[in-house]
Coordinates of all heavy atoms in Angstrom, one line a residue:
G181 N 18.5 -34.9 -30.5 CA 19.9 -34.6 -30.6 C 20.3 -33.2 -30.3 O 21.4 -32.7 -30.8
F182 N 19.5 -32.5 -29.6 CA 19.7 -31.1 -29.3 C 20.3 -30.8 -27.9 O 20.5 -29.7 -27.5 CB 18.4 -30.3 -29.3 CG 17.8 -30.1 -30.7 CD1 16.5 -29.8 -30.9 CD2 18.6 -30.3 -31.8 CE1 15.9 -29.7 -32.2 CE2 18.1 -30.2 -33.1 CZ 16.7 -29.9 -33.3
A183 N 20.7 -31.9 -27.2 CA 21.2 -31.8 -25.9 C 22.7 -32.1 -25.9 O 23.3 -32.8 -25.1 CB 20.5 -32.7 -24.9
S184 N 23.4 -31.5 -26.8 CA 24.8 -31.7 -27.0 C 25.7 -30.6 -26.5 O 26.9 -30.6 -26.6 CB 25.2 -32.0 -28.5 OG 24.8 -30.8 -29.2
S185 N 25.1 -29.6 -25.9 CA 25.8 -28.4 -25.3 C 25.8 -28.5 -23.8 O 24.8 -28.8 -23.2 CB 25.2 -27.1 -25.8 OG 25.6 -26.0 -25.1
P186 N 26.9 -28.0 -23.2 CA 26.9 -28.0 -21.7 C 25.9 -27.0 -21.2 O 25.4 -27.2 -20.1 CB 28.4 -27.5 -21.4 CG 28.9 -26.9 -22.6 CD 28.2 -27.7 -23.8
L187 N 25.5 -26.0 -22.0 CA 24.5 -25.0 -21.6 C 23.2 -25.7 -21.2 O 22.5 -25.3 -20.2 CB 24.2 -24.0 -22.7 CG 23.2 -23.0 -22.5 CD1 23.6 -22.1 -21.2 CD2 23.1 -22.0 -23.7
T188 N 22.8 -26.7 -21.9 CA 21.5 -27.5 -21.6 C 21.6 -28.1 -20.2 O 20.7 -28.0 -19.4 CB 21.3 -28.6 -22.7 OG1 21.3 -28.0 -24.0 CG2 20.0 -29.3 -22.4
Y189 N 22.7 -28.8 -20.0 CA 22.9 -29.4 -18.6 C 23.1 -28.4 -17.5 O 22.6 -28.6 -16.4 CB 24.0 -30.4 -18.7 CG 23.7 -31.6 -19.6 CD1 24.1 -31.6 -20.9 CD2 23.0 -32.7 -19.1 CE1 23.8 -32.6 -21.8 CE2 22.8 -33.8 -20.0 CZ 23.2 -33.8 -21.3 OH 22.9 -34.8 -22.1
N190 N 23.8 -27.3 -17.9 CA 23.9 -26.2 -16.9 C 22.6 -25.6 -16.5 O 22.3 -25.3 -15.3 CB 24.8 -25.1 -17.5 CG 26.2 -25.5 -17.6 OD1 26.7 -26.6 -17.1 ND2 27.0 -24.7 -18.3
D191 N 21.7 -25.6 -17.5 CA 20.3 -25.1 -17.1 C 19.7 -26.0 -16.1 O 19.1 -25.5 -15.1 CB 19.4 -25.2 -18.4 CG 19.3 -23.9 -19.1 OD1 19.6 -22.8 -18.5 OD2 19.0 -23.9 -20.3
M192 N 19.8 -27.3 -16.2 CA 19.2 -28.2 -15.3 C 19.9 -28.2 -13.9 O 19.2 -28.2 -12.9 CB 19.3 -29.7 -15.8 CG 18.4 -29.9 -17.1 SD 16.7 -29.4 -16.9 CE 16.1 -30.4 -15.6
M193 N 21.2 -28.0 -13.9 CA 21.9 -27.9 -12.6 C 21.5 -26.6 -11.9 O 21.3 -26.6 -10.7 CB 23.4 -27.9 -12.8 CG 23.9 -29.3 -13.2 SD 25.7 -29.4 -13.1 CE 26.2 -28.8 -14.7
C194 N 21.2 -25.5 -12.7 CA 20.7 -24.3 -12.1 C 19.3 -24.5 -11.5 O 19.0 -23.9 -10.4 CB 20.7 -23.2 -13.1 SG 22.2 -22.2 -13.2
L195 N 18.5 -25.2 -12.2 CA 17.1 -25.5 -11.7 C 17.2 -26.2 -10.4 O 16.5 -25.8 -9.4 CB 16.4 -26.3 -12.8 CG 15.0 -26.8 -12.3 CD1 14.1 -25.6 -12.1 CD2 14.4 -27.6 -13.5
Y196 N 18.0 -27.2 -10.3 CA 18.1 -28.0 -9.0 C 18.7 -27.1 -7.9 O 18.3 -27.2 -6.7 CB 18.9 -29.2 -9.2 CG 18.2 -30.3 -10.0 CD1 18.8 -31.0 -11.1 CD2 16.9 -30.7 -9.7 CE1 18.1 -31.9 -11.8 CE2 16.2 -31.6 -10.4 CZ 16.8 -32.3 -11.5 OH 16.2 -33.2 -12.2
T197 N 19.6 -26.2 -8.3 CA 20.2 -25.3 -7.3 C 19.1 -24.3 -6.8 O 19.0 -24.1 -5.6 CB 21.4 -24.5 -7.9 OG1 22.4 -25.4 -8.3 CG2 21.9 -23.5 -6.9
N198 N 18.4 -23.8 -7.7 CA 17.4 -22.8 -7.3 C 16.2 -23.3 -6.5 O 15.6 -22.6 -5.8 CB 16.9 -22.1 -8.6 CG 17.9 -21.2 -9.3 OD1 18.9 -20.8 -8.7 ND2 17.7 -20.9 -10.5
I199 N 15.9 -24.6 -6.6 CA 14.9 -25.2 -5.8 C 15.4 -25.9 -4.6 O 14.7 -26.6 -3.9 CB 14.0 -26.1 -6.7 CG1 14.8 -27.3 -7.2 CG2 13.3 -25.4 -7.8 CD1 13.9 -28.4 -7.9
G200 N 16.7 -25.8 -4.4 CA 17.3 -26.4 -3.2 C 17.6 -27.8 -3.2 O 17.9 -28.4 -2.2
Q201 N 17.5 -28.5 -4.4 CA 17.8 -29.9 -4.5 C 19.3 -30.1 -5.0 O 19.5 -30.6 -6.0 CB 16.8 -30.6 -5.4 CG 15.4 -30.6 -5.0 CD 14.4 -31.3 -5.9 OE1 14.8 -31.9 -6.8 NE2 13.1 -31.2 -5.5
H202 N 20.2 -29.6 -4.1 CA 21.6 -29.6 -4.5 C 22.1 -31.0 -4.7 O 23.1 -31.2 -5.4 CB 22.4 -28.9 -3.4 CG 21.9 -27.5 -3.1 ND1 22.3 -26.5 -4.0 CD2 21.2 -26.9 -2.2 CE1 21.7 -25.4 -3.5 NE2 21.1 -25.6 -2.4
E203 N 21.6 -32.0 -4.0 CA 22.1 -33.4 -4.2 C 21.9 -33.9 -5.6 O 22.6 -34.9 -6.0 CB 21.4 -34.3 -3.2 CG 19.9 -34.6 -3.4 CD 19.0 -33.5 -3.0 OE1 19.5 -32.4 -2.5 OE2 17.8 -33.6 -3.3
K204 N 21.0 -33.3 -6.4 CA 20.8 -33.8 -7.8 C 21.8 -33.2 -8.8 O 21.9 -33.7 -9.9 CB 19.4 -33.5 -8.2 CG 18.3 -34.3 -7.4 CD 16.9 -34.1 -7.9 CE 15.9 -35.0 -7.2 NZ 14.5 -34.8 -7.7
V205 N 22.5 -32.2 -8.4 CA 23.4 -31.5 -9.3 C 24.5 -32.4 -9.8 O 24.8 -32.5 -11.0 CB 24.0 -30.2 -8.7 CG1 25.1 -29.6 -9.5 CG2 22.9 -29.2 -8.5
P206 N 25.2 -33.2 -8.9 CA 26.3 -34.1 -9.3 C 25.8 -35.1 -10.3 O 26.6 -35.6 -11.2 CB 26.8 -34.7 -8.0 CG 26.5 -33.7 -7.0 CD 25.2 -33.1 -7.4
D207 N 24.6 -35.6 -10.2 CA 24.0 -36.6 -11.1 C 23.9 -36.0 -12.5 O 24.2 -36.7 -13.5 CB 22.6 -37.0 -10.7 CG 22.7 -37.8 -9.3 OD1 23.7 -38.3 -9.0 OD2 21.6 -37.8 -8.6
V208 N 23.6 -34.7 -12.6 CA 23.5 -34.1 -14.0 C 24.9 -34.0 -14.6 O 25.1 -34.3 -15.8 CB 22.9 -32.7 -13.9 CG1 22.9 -32.0 -15.2 CG2 21.5 -32.8 -13.3
L209 N 25.9 -33.7 -13.7 CA 27.3 -33.6 -14.2 C 27.7 -35.0 -14.7 O 28.4 -35.2 -15.8 CB 28.3 -33.2 -13.1 CG 29.7 -32.9 -13.6 CD1 29.8 -31.7 -14.5 CD2 30.6 -32.8 -12.3

Side-chain angles (χ1 to χ4, degrees):
F182 292 160
S184 58
S185 163
L187 180 58
T188 303
Y189 293 93
N190 291 348
D191 266 338
M192 294 307 299
M193 286 194 276
C194 270
L195 176 58
Y196 288 131
T197 297
N198 291 339
I199 63 175
Q201 295 183 6
H202 302 283
E203 70 281 358
K204 292 186 178 181
V205 171
D207 295 336
V208 178
L209 185 71

